[in-house]
Amino acid sequence: MAAVEHSPLFETKSAKGRVFYKIFSLTLFVGICFIWVFRVSHIPRESEVGKWDTPSDGTFSSGNLSDKDYLKADPGIEPPVMVINTVLSVMAYEYPPDKLSVYLSDDAGSDITFYALLEASIFAKQWLPFCRKFKVDPTSPAAYFKTIHSSTHAKELVTIKPRWVEYQKKYTQSIKDFHSGIHILLEETMTQFFNAKDVDGNVMPLLVYLAREKRPQVAHNFKAGAMNSLIRVSSLISNGEIILNVDCDMYSNNSQSLRDALCFLMDEDKGHEIAYVQTPQCFENITKNDLYGGALRVDYEVEFHGMDSLGGPLYAGTGCFHRREILCGRKFSDQYKKDWNEYKNIGDMTEVSLHELEEQSKALSSCTFEINTLWGKEVGLLYGCSLEDVMTGLSIKCRGWKSVFYNPQRRAFLGVAPNTLPQTLVQHKRWSEGCFQILLSKHSPAWHAYGLISPGLQMAYCYYNLWAFICWPTLYYCVIPSLYLLKGIPLFPQSMVHPFAYVILGDSSYCMMEFLWLKGTVKGWWNELRIWLYKRTSSYLFAFVDTILKSFGFSESTFVVSAKVAEEEVSQRYEKEIMEFGNSSPMLTVLATLALLNLFCLLGMFLKQVFISEGGLRIFDAMALQVLLSGVLVLINVPVYQGLFLRKDEGRLPMSVAAKSTALALKVAMMNVKTMEIKGVVYDIKSCTFSKSNGSGSCTARNVKENYDAKKVVIEMKVALSNFATAMVIFSSMNAVLGIRFVIDRRECFSHNVEHEADRVHASFVVIKIDASWQYTDDGVDLEVRGPAGEPVRDFLDVTSEIFDFVARSTGPYRFCFNNRSPYHETIDFDVHSNHVEFSDHHAKDGEAYMY
Ligand SMILES: O=c1ccn([C@@H]2O[C@H](COP(=O)(O)OP(=O)(O)O[C@H]3O[C@H](CO)[C@@H](O)[C@H](O)[C@H]3O)[C@@H](O)[C@H]2O)c(=O)[nH]1
Ligand SMILES: [Mn+2]
């Protein structure tokens, strides 16, 4: 190998089209800045301003070294046969078997997994030679037999396949009692285990089963705890330099990938800087149009490559090759060079009494071993975060190391992605919660990592860390524009149509193109857009709230293990790409409520336009973007409406969710009408104080034209902060819309200054009879609206509420005078504001001008 050692073992190439990326992201950024100017207090929906450099990596030749594979399993939801496939697939790597050890961690231990592994070790004696002989790939028996024709290697297949089928049948049974302790296997007679041979007489990789001790009172730290137990136990037994960690729901799909990964770590020039090599997480059960966006296409095909050029990708928890020492806390030093010839020869250890080894290993894997040690704090995978992998990877980077993303043509590993909506949402909740915890932790990429990793990488980490936070802007855009649409208030100022449209349309068409480049389908993109929305409005929202609760000590960390088995019917629906709801989790209620709210607002707006408004469908002129946004939201939610009202199968949304969400959505939509009435701009209000903390303020109003006595009007805005929708309405109102409530005796006038010709003026009022419930009146008021020259614009007689708008034919103050006919004082909520419309044409009609 001497000649190979001094030539590079891998090269890094720059991606094509980076100039395009940069220009495009720059223009988007400028667009966003425009929006910011108007929406200072809101974070835009898409803070992603672009992609980074996108290099791609390729290896040249293979290394050769002692190393080992780790797997973990949880009995119950993770069926033994799946685990065994993982084990067998990595045992069959094209690699010297005497330098390979495979460890399986089983939380608390289960008899069935143990015996499944024991028998699998016997099956392996035939399977490994078979794989070697026919260069089998994938080396997971289940995956291989699924793809193979019975005519291929017919002779050998006749003996090996039925054994596998029988094995599979036996272990697809129910789980029995627990079993704990550590067992080192590979031979029925365990004493011979170090020298286990396959049917051809070749040495086999060492196989170790670790039942991790779990006690109710002792924190077992979920997957990070399992990994740390494995690190300790393996250091005692084989102590390989490289640790590969694979989740039990994945299998090796590329028997070369181990050698390739070593190329990065063994490279003479750069290898010593690299702490880990991450492969993408790919899945075998993704349907054609990827209903739940599980393929994580853009993440792995674009974003991770980009991070590669900034110091390396995240540690994604599976399919990752680590250096043992670095995982155990070693700091970076330039001098770090590894003597790759120095490794523990497992064969040498046969003299060690097996019993002794078992006893020592038991101590290392006991749940009390870590008490008062640095495990989980500085050594091994870090504890206390539901995304132990990302956090650990970040801390490695902060210690000065780099990482590499390796994305081979033939997928290195294939796994199982969640195949129902609730599972997808739960997984994303765990991820976004973990990401947010990292942001708030002492490893925060926002501040702790400053100076330790490159600013670009800091930004890249923050992009993930802020996932949970993104729920707020997303919820804002899902709720407020639709509510305002129902009310008839344009939210996107007309002058803003261009930057808004550019950012929204530019970003979504870019995302679609990117998705298609990555071999996705248009329907797949649409599905991903839906999941994008659902994650942000449910998983991220719950993650945000939970993280805050946890940081105040109100709730405990959990790790909800993703389910890996699905009922037959559920799988069938998944194949047909029918969305699976199937339970009544609060997350689904939130999704259904938002879906219905959008539907009600859009329908309400249409009905109002068609039947109530005199202007017909002219709302589309002023509120095109809002109508579009609501329309897209309604279209995207079609599967939810079907799940709520049309489907009969088990995967539909339960009745309870339908009832709750309908009631909630109706309430918010109705409440909107009332709260909106309270707010709105009264432009001639000269001085206003507005307290953001309690939502109340006072304004002094003066009628410009008629020099009325300055009149104090107190705005009472009772903000039900507990009510999300109200709170959001208030937030959104702060910069643009203020309302006025006043008490009228006989006559009260207000004026509103119109600055541009052809501006559309929106006004509404409602007569409220607060504190007067004992004195029944249903008297209305009269309202006369006059233009700047005193010309009549509108007249209403004896009405209790009204919403109307008109196009101003000239600039100047418009007057709104209320006359009270009843003998009592009346309380009136009134709002008026105008929108500037460009390129409009007007036709006079009854004192009112219409556009177009
Ligand atoms: O208490 C636990 C919890 C989990 N696991 C194992 O951890 C792995 C990952 O769990 P899974 O439920 O499959 O989670 P996913 O959401 O699929 O995992 C993704 O997200 C995790 C972090 O949240 C990463 O660690 C994983 O590598 C990544 O695949 C599985 O092999 C489990 O057996 C344990 O051993 N003990
Ligand atoms: Mn998983």
Side-chain angles (χ1 to χ4, degrees):
M1 301 287 284
V4 182
E5 264 170 28
H6 296 288
S7 55
L9 294 179
F10 70 94
E11 71 164 354
T12 304
K13 285 187 253 162
S14 281
K16 294 193 191 108
R18 280 163 58 195
V19 176
F20 166 76
Y21 276 137
K22 284 182 180 160
I23 295 176
F24 179 67
S25 42
L26 196 73
T27 59
L28 272 194
F29 181 70
V30 171
I32 291 171
C33 288
F34 270 109
I35 297 175
W36 273 350
V37 170
F38 288 83
R39 289 279 153 85
V40 230
S41 54
H42 296 99
I43 293 166
R45 184 173 58 101
E46 279 296 323
S47 54
E48 178 199 0
V49 288
K51 312 287 178 200
W52 302 280
D53 301 1
T54 311
S56 55
D57 294 310
T59 53
F60 288 147
S61 74
S62 332
N64 165 27
L65 198 78
S66 139
D67 64 358
K68 56 189 35 279
D69 302 335
Y70 279 154
L71 313 162
K72 296 134 294 78
D74 222 341
I77 13 181
E78 305 184 322
V81 175
M82 173 188 270
V83 180
I84 295 312
N85 271 296
T86 317
V87 171
L88 290 173
S89 74
V90 295
M91 279 176 87
Y93 264 129
E94 237 187 85
Y95 199 75
D98 56 326
K99 293 175 184 166
L100 193 66
S101 324
V102 179
Y103 294 77
L104 170 70
S105 155
D106 189 2
D107 283 359
S110 85
D111 274 352
I112 189 159
T113 309
F114 173 69
Y115 286 110
L117 188 70
L118 186 64
E119 259 189 71
S121 74
I122 299 162
F123 176 73
K125 292 183 173 203
Q126 263 188 308
W127 178 244
L128 302 191
F130 178 81
C131 290
R132 209 167 356 192
K133 188 167 171 195
F134 298 109
K135 299 231 171 298
V136 162
D137 235 340
T139 45
S140 138
Y144 179 72
F145 291 133
K146 224 186 284 172
T147 52
I148 199 80
H149 285 290
S150 49
S151 56
T152 344
H153 323 312
K155 206 171 108 233
E156 284 81 2
L157 219 55
V158 166
T159 52
I160 199 161
K161 197 175 171 181
R163 283 196 66 184
W164 174 255
V165 172
E166 195 190 318
Y167 174 87
Q168 216 171 356
K169 214 164 96 197
K170 182 165 168 191
Y171 286 104
T172 317
Q173 287 165 4
S174 63
I175 282 82
K176 288 184 281 169
D177 303 336
F178 285 164
H179 181 102
S180 108
I182 176 154
H183 304 266
I184 300 171
L185 346 150
L186 242 193
E187 200 51 82
E188 298 88 315
T189 50
M190 288 211 185
T191 40
Q192 287 176 21
F193 91 105
F194 283 123
N195 298 318
K197 302 257 164 53
D198 63 27
V199 288
D200 289 354
N202 295 317
V203 182
M204 294 189 32
L206 174 70
L207 184 57
V208 178
Y209 171 81
L210 171 71
R212 184 162 67 115
E213 190 191 15
K214 241 174 148 177
R215 280 191 222 155
Q217 266 75 43
V218 186
H220 77 293
N221 296 305
F222 315 106
K223 181 179 165 185
M227 282 288 293
N228 287 345
S229 280
L230 283 169
I231 293 174
R232 286 194 298 272
V233 170
S234 65
S235 69
L236 186 72
I237 300 174
S238 51
N239 203 26
E241 178 59 30
I242 308 298
I243 293 171
L244 160 65
N245 132 242
V246 187
D247 284 353
C248 68
D249 54 0
M250 302 205 103
Y251 61 82
S252 156
N253 181 56
N254 179 343
S255 54
Q256 289 292 327
S257 61
L258 172 53
R259 283 166 170 269
D260 289 348
L262 287 175
C263 287
F264 293 101
L265 298 167
M266 294 177 76
D267 185 76
E268 278 292 317
D269 287 337
K270 299 187 195 136
H272 66 283
E273 301 176 343
I274 299 169
Y276 60 86
V277 178
Q278 177 68 55
T279 61
Q281 223 174 329
C282 303
F283 306 96
E284 61 166 358
N285 64 331
I286 300 292
T287 51
K288 182 165 167 253
N289 299 310
D290 193 6
L291 185 59
Y292 302 112
L296 307 173
R297 236 173 262 265
V298 176
D299 303 46
Y300 286 120
E301 297 297 331
V302 181
E303 292 171 2
F304 268 51
H305 280 293
M307 290 179 89
D308 213 8
S309 72
L310 298 169
L314 315 171
Y315 163 35
T318 180
C320 189
F321 301 82
H322 279 277
R323 284 180 202 273
R324 177 187 293 271
E325 282 178 299
I326 299 174
L327 196 53
C328 290
R330 189 185 175 109
K331 286 207 176 71
F332 178 74
S333 89
D334 263 343
Q335 313 310 321
Y336 180 72
K337 279 270 178 214
K338 202 64 219 162
D339 179 5
W340 296 100
N341 293 316
E342 170 199 290
Y343 61 88
K344 201 167 180 176
N345 192 337
I346 304 164
D348 296 346
M349 300 197 322
T350 42
E351 290 106 58
V352 183
S353 117
L354 190 58
H355 181 69
E356 211 175 284
L357 203 56
E358 264 198 53
E359 286 307 310
Q360 286 173 356
S361 305
K362 257 187 206 167
L364 290 179
S365 63
S366 88
C367 63
T368 49
F369 178 86
E370 291 179 345
I371 295 174
N372 296 326
T373 68
L374 288 177
W375 283 97
K377 293 183 204 113
E378 283 168 32
V379 182
L381 275 88
L382 304 182
Y383 296 155
C385 173
S386 53
L387 217 56
E388 75 302 323
D389 43 5
V390 178
M391 179 113 135
T392 306
L394 177 63
S395 83
I396 290 175
K397 296 262 176 55
C398 288
R399 271 187 265 126
W401 303 99
K402 290 194 172 137
S403 63
V404 159
F405 183 53
Y406 176 50
N407 192 358
Q409 277 278 313
R410 185 182 170 91
R411 302 287 182 216
F413 301 93
L414 285 178
V416 183
N419 65 354
T420 71
L421 184 64
Q423 277 173 28
T424 307
L425 296 179
V426 164
Q427 190 184 52
H428 281 284
K429 181 190 166 239
R430 165 150 46 78
W431 290 353
S432 53
E433 191 176 327
C435 279
F436 196 38
Q437 284 169 344
I438 296 173
L439 187 76
L440 305 178
S441 78
K442 67 176 175 117
H443 293 280
S444 176
W447 39 89
H448 172 83
Y450 179 74
L452 300 174
I453 59 177
S454 70
L457 196 61
Q458 263 184 292
M459 272 170 68
Y461 266 97
C462 287
Y463 163 74
Y464 295 101
N465 291 152
L466 285 168
W467 270 349
F469 183 77
I470 286 177
C471 68
W472 299 113
T474 314
L475 280 167
Y476 175 92
Y477 279 95
C478 284
V479 175
I480 304 302
S482 303
L483 285 181
Y484 272 62
L485 182 69
L486 179 65
K487 164 74 173 138
I489 300 174
L491 192 69
F492 303 114
Q494 292 295 308
S495 59
M496 283 301 295
V497 159
H498 306 306
F500 260 109
Y502 178 70
V503 171
I504 293 174
L505 300 178
D507 182 63
S508 26
S509 39
Y510 170 77
C511 285
M512 184 165 100
M513 260 155 38
E514 188 174 63
F515 196 84
L516 298 180
W517 282 328
L518 301 176
K519 303 196 178 71
T521 59
V522 175
K523 212 169 160 198
W525 168 75
W526 182 245
N527 286 337
E528 180 158 290
L529 193 67
R530 178 182 308 115
I531 291 298
W532 179 96
L533 182 75
Y534 289 0
K535 282 188 306 204
R536 278 162 177 73
T537 48
S538 64
S539 306
Y540 294 1
L541 173 68
F542 283 78
F544 186 93
V545 174
D546 260 15
T547 311
I548 301 296
L549 287 180
K550 261 175 217 161
S551 60
F552 287 106
F554 290 121
S555 90
E556 291 243 327
S557 282
T558 49
F559 185 116
V560 184
V561 176
S562 323
K564 275 113 198 170
V565 256
E567 285 164 30
E568 191 53 33
E569 275 178 39
V570 174
S571 303
Q572 276 171 12
R573 281 193 287 271
Y574 179 66
E575 295 298 321
K576 286 192 218 145
E577 303 196 325
I578 299 172
M579 194 159 262
E580 184 76 26
F581 302 98
N583 73 27
S584 52
S585 78
M587 287 207 239
L588 292 183
T589 311
V590 170
L591 290 187
T593 308
L594 287 173
L596 289 175
L597 179 66
N598 278 294
L599 184 68
F600 294 158
C601 287
L602 195 71
L603 286 181
M605 182 276 294
F606 269 114
L607 293 177
K608 247 164 69 178
Q609 287 302 305
V610 174
F611 296 109
I612 303 174
S613 169
E614 295 162 30
L617 291 171
R618 70 187 193 283
I619 196 153
F620 296 116
D621 305 337
M623 300 169 76
L625 259 184
Q626 249 161 300
V627 176
L628 184 77
L629 184 63
S630 268
V632 169
L633 285 171
V634 167
L635 276 183
I636 224 167
N637 277 312
V638 166
V640 174
Y641 308 132
Q642 288 170 337
L644 281 170
F645 306 116
L646 304 176
R647 276 166 57 182
K648 297 268 171 313
D649 58 81
E650 288 289 302
R652 71 194 299 270
L653 275 155
M655 277 305 286
S656 62
V657 174
K660 253 186 278 176
S661 54
T662 311
L664 260 167
L666 275 176
K667 189 173 168 229
V668 174
M670 307 292 249
M671 185 191 61
N672 158 55
V673 176
K674 214 177 141 228
T675 48
M676 289 296 191
E677 240 72 85
I678 300 173
K679 288 166 270 321
V681 173
V682 180
Y683 276 75
D684 67 341
I685 290 175
K686 288 299 167 208
S687 59
C688 274
T689 54
F690 192 85
S691 147
K692 290 191 182 187
S693 57
N694 62 9
S696 72
S698 64
C699 291
T700 314
R702 193 144 46 86
N703 187 296
V704 185
K705 200 77 195 290
E706 297 191 8
N707 253 336
Y708 263 99
D709 286 344
K711 192 145 210 154
K712 276 230 158 145
V713 185
V714 177
I715 302 175
E716 298 164 20
M717 280 201 264
K718 287 177 187 155
V719 184
L721 278 175
S722 60
N723 190 313
F724 162 72
T726 316
M728 292 313 255
V729 170
I730 304 285
F731 277 21
S732 67
S733 311
M734 283 190 180
N735 15 350
V737 191
L738 265 185
I740 193 163
R741 173 175 291 184
F742 61 95
V743 178
I744 179 172
D745 180 3
R746 293 282 97 199
R747 186 177 159 88
E748 208 67 72
C749 289
F750 298 93
S751 78
H752 169 65
N753 200 39
V754 174
E755 284 169 10
H756 307 274
E757 221 184 320
D759 275 3
R760 184 171 288 275
V761 180
H762 300 263
S764 63
F765 69 91
V766 62
V767 180
I768 315 170
K769 292 166 169 63
I770 310 177
D771 300 328
S773 44
W774 45 271
Q775 104 206 336
Y776 174 76
T777 86
D778 61 354
D779 288 339
V781 292
D782 300 343
L783 169 66
E784 43 184 79
V785 184
R786 297 286 176 266
E791 76 279 25
V793 177
R794 280 293 182 94
D795 278 299
F796 299 99
L797 289 179
D798 199 15
V799 281
T800 50
S801 73
E802 193 62 55
I803 305 171
F804 62 98
D805 57 6
F806 57 88
V807 172
R809 288 200 293 165
S810 48
T811 57
Y814 280 70
R815 255 178 40 237
F816 297 79
C817 288
F818 292 92
N819 289 308
N820 181 13
R821 297 150 154 260
S822 80
Y824 309 111
H825 289 175
E826 304 271 31
T827 305
I828 298 177
D829 278 332
F830 171 57
D831 76 35
V832 55
H833 66 271
S834 56
N835 286 99
H836 180 50
V837 186
E838 286 175 41
F839 310 119
S840 59
D841 222 357
H842 19 112
H843 308 279
K845 182 187 163 196
D846 293 344
E848 183 177 335
Y850 288 96
M851 282 197 295
Y852 308 109

